Amino acid sequence: MAESAELILDGKSITLPVIEGTEHEKAFDIGKLRDQTGYVTLDSGYKNTGATKSAITFLDGEEGILRYRGYPIEQLAEKSSFLEVAYLLIYGALPTEAELAHFSGQITKHTLVHEDMRKIFDGFPSATHPMAILSSLICALTGFYPQSVSPDLSPEEMELNIIRLLAKMPTIAAWTYKNNMGHPLNYPRNDMDYCANFLYMMFSFPTEKYEMNPVVVSALNKLLILHADHEQNCSTSTVRLVGSANASLYGSVSAGINALWGPLHGGANQEVIEMLEAIEADGGDTSKFINKAKDKNDPFRLMGFGHRVYKNFDPRAKIIKVAADEVLQALGMQDSPLLKIAQELEQAALTDQYFIDRKLYPNVDFYSGIIYKALGIPTEMFTVMFALGRLPGWIAQWKEMRENKEPIGRPRQIYTGELERDYVGIDARA
Ligand code: CMC
């Protein structure tokens, strides 16, 4: 007999079907609850609400497990390439050699952006954050490819939009930086792989030969893989919610970029480095900042610590911590004062009862900024790097939602405002 749950409400018994996932996660299906009882469920921040069924990423926060399409993140980070992982997330299987060659060939063909894009950069005030520019320009792609907004895309059209987005985002991201710096914009180099081409566009100058450092390319590849998907996080849920209204892929991803920018989400990677720099500037006393984080009258939080789902450890943070050591060693930066402060902070927090009681561990953002900094990526671009990595996940989740014909997302609420009252003319108001 199929498992179900019984809810007794006002003396009436309601049967709630139980839904079970392939990893035996269970949920009550409350889809008909309001019709049956007049009640809705309330769960601020969706702490205990499954918004969808998804076959893309599995995450077990208690055990510290993360798998893309069944493959452990540890194996993918060690053995795979970012484009291969992108293919895996979007199409569900690791590509054959021919499939990967076709996929990356298609992406390579679309790396250029329309020349009019360059003019849009001129309209942004110089203080504009790169995430604002990135999200605007990704949305602007709808203007260059108007058919992309159609709710009835053929599989071929959907595929073309996906390829275009994967291909153009590194160009747009690198140009965002170059434009902010007042440097000439570099056109993509189609003889380079995805990560190398991005680094080339970011750091090369027409006046000199750019020496590609394989340590840097490999570190970037790993970081992007680690960020590639994380099931129904804030930005991905945003992408799905916006897309559920039949909004375009570009529009949905643009919205996801804004969600990611928030300091409690992807924006934390910029905040971590700024925090470490502030600790260094303050003399390097980590205990002072640990105490600030524990003080309930102080809004300060230890950035890069804590996670809504991981309550044991973040498997991505484990991999990144080792990678940070390796990269800094390989680049001769092992004496980085920021790395030392980060290690001290982590050690202090992990042995402090406040953090132990609340199961607060370093998350993916804690060490990623240290690597990005070592790779020469400017701090303001850190969250853009996260967005580059998360792009295949957003695409895969948007595509899955569309293909499953999910209904428009529309949560309910419990109204706590005024009861009905009559309009009062302005002269009669107190
Ligand atoms: N420093 C100090 N205290 C913290 C921290 C922190 N970083 N994170 C959580 N707490 C405390 C919080 O004050 C609360 O304490 P109490 O129970 O006494 O009120 C308790 O831990 C639970 O926190 P919460 O805010 O209810 O937990 P949440 O699941 O709603 O928030 C979080 C998760 C990631 C937003 C939060 O841990 C945080 O703000 N961390 C810092 C920002 C950060 O690093 N974000 C990146 C997340 S990982 C990358 C990504 O996928 O976005």
Side-chain angles (χ1 to χ4, degrees):
M1 206 176 71
E3 198 182 348
S4 63
E6 189 187 5
L7 175 71
I8 310 283
L9 204 56
D10 303 330
K12 199 175 144 201
S13 161
I14 315 290
T15 302
L16 299 174
V18 167
I19 309 290
E20 186 168 348
T22 48
E23 289 281 354
H24 308 297
E25 295 167 297
K26 291 186 179 177
F28 305 124
D29 182 348
I30 50 109
K32 296 203 168 65
L33 191 63
R34 189 167 180 279
D35 291 343
Q36 290 170 322
T37 65
Y39 285 71
V40 297
T41 54
L42 181 65
D43 180 19
S44 292
Y46 307 118
K47 293 193 174 192
N48 198 42
T49 294
T52 189
K53 289 188 247 171
S54 177
I56 301 170
T57 288
F58 174 69
L59 198 167
D60 182 330
E62 279 70 37
E63 298 297 324
I65 294 172
L66 174 62
R67 297 187 202 125
Y68 300 159
R69 303 281 189 185
Y71 296 101
I73 190 66
E74 293 79 6
Q75 292 180 21
L76 293 170
E78 193 194 327
K79 298 177 182 169
S80 192
S81 70
F82 179 61
L83 274 198
E84 186 176 68
V85 166
Y87 185 100
L88 171 70
L89 286 167
I90 296 168
Y91 305 108
L94 283 171
T96 61
E97 222 174 319
E99 285 165 340
L100 185 59
H102 178 72
F103 181 59
S104 63
Q106 285 296 104
I107 289 173
T108 300
K109 252 193 222 160
H110 289 275
T111 49
L112 280 172
V113 295
H114 196 290
E115 281 295 299
D116 284 352
M117 271 265 175
R118 300 175 69 118
K119 297 183 198 149
I120 304 180
F121 282 106
D122 297 337
F124 288 103
S126 59
T128 311
H129 193 280
M131 286 295 274
I133 301 179
L134 184 68
S135 93
S136 307
L137 291 185
I138 294 301
C139 198
L141 287 174
T142 55
F144 296 100
Y145 306 106
Q147 82 288 3
S148 66
V149 302
S150 163
D152 300 310
L153 296 175
S154 68
E156 294 72 32
E157 286 169 326
M158 193 188 275
E159 179 65 19
L160 185 56
N161 285 334
I162 289 173
I163 293 289
R164 278 193 182 125
L165 189 51
L166 283 167
K168 294 178 198 310
M169 184 119 135
T171 312
I172 293 171
W175 283 14
T176 299
Y177 167 62
K178 283 295 199 188
N179 188 67
N180 269 11
M181 297 298 289
H183 296 167
L185 308 183
N186 290 318
Y187 285 103
R189 283 270 305 269
N190 287 352
D191 57 330
M192 293 182 172
D193 73 21
Y194 199 81
C195 290
N197 173 48
F198 174 73
L199 290 166
Y200 164 81
M201 288 189 289
M202 280 282 290
F203 297 122
S204 74
F205 288 92
T207 42
E208 52 202 59
K209 191 171 178 313
Y210 178 63
E211 297 290 344
M212 191 69 65
N213 185 338
V215 173
V216 175
V217 181
S218 146
L220 178 59
N221 190 59
K222 189 172 282 197
L223 282 169
L224 296 187
I225 290 174
L226 290 172
H227 286 87
D229 194 44
H230 213 232
E231 48 115 302
Q232 307 312 316
N233 58 84
C234 178
S235 57
T236 303
S237 298
T238 300
V239 169
R240 284 186 92 122
L241 189 61
V242 173
S244 77
N246 270 353
S248 69
L249 176 63
Y250 304 146
S252 305
V253 167
S254 165
I257 291 170
N258 282 311
L260 186 75
W261 186 11
L264 295 185
H265 191 10
N269 61 9
Q270 174 174 343
E271 301 263 337
V272 169
I273 282 292
E274 287 169 357
M275 174 185 78
L276 297 176
E277 286 169 347
I279 297 175
E280 189 191 13
D282 193 61
D285 180 3
T286 47
S287 61
K288 182 172 159 189
F289 287 81
I290 295 272
N291 288 335
K292 264 169 81 63
K294 287 158 49 173
D295 181 354
K296 290 290 166 202
N297 298 316
D298 189 327
F300 176 79
R301 282 192 164 199
L302 206 53
M303 298 313 284
F305 261 75
H307 198 275
R308 169 62 62 78
V309 184
Y310 292 121
K311 298 300 175 198
N312 186 346
F313 65 94
D314 181 337
R316 304 167 301 173
K318 258 191 174 177
I319 301 170
I320 290 191
K321 186 181 175 182
V322 175
D325 272 342
E326 286 168 3
V327 170
L328 266 66
Q329 195 84 34
L331 298 176
M333 297 177 177
Q334 59 276 24
D335 298 327
S336 148
L338 293 191
L339 180 65
K340 204 168 147 277
I341 291 172
Q343 286 164 340
E344 261 182 50
L345 209 54
E346 179 186 2
Q347 222 30 54
L350 290 180
T351 49
D352 188 295
Q353 208 51 44
Y354 173 95
F355 292 87
I356 296 170
D357 288 348
R358 290 167 182 76
K359 299 185 178 8
L360 300 172
Y361 299 89
N363 59 47
V364 69
D365 290 328
F366 192 64
Y367 281 103
S368 65
I370 291 176
I371 308 188
Y372 286 136
K373 200 172 164 67
L375 303 189
I377 309 276
T379 311
E380 275 212 337
M381 285 291 288
F382 286 2
T383 317
V384 170
M385 303 307 294
F386 194 153
L388 263 188
R390 185 54 53 87
L391 182 61
W394 288 332
I395 293 173
Q397 301 267 354
W398 184 93
K399 181 169 173 276
E400 178 180 66
M401 181 215 53
R402 269 294 164 88
E403 287 172 350
N404 289 348
K405 301 200 179 355
E406 288 185 17
I408 185 167
R410 204 305 185 184
R412 294 277 181 166
Q413 65 165 17
I414 298 296
Y415 175 69
T416 59
E418 297 287 348
L419 295 178
E420 183 179 2
R421 47 185 173 165
D422 286 328
Y423 179 81
V424 179
I426 196 161
D427 301 344
R429 286 176 216 159

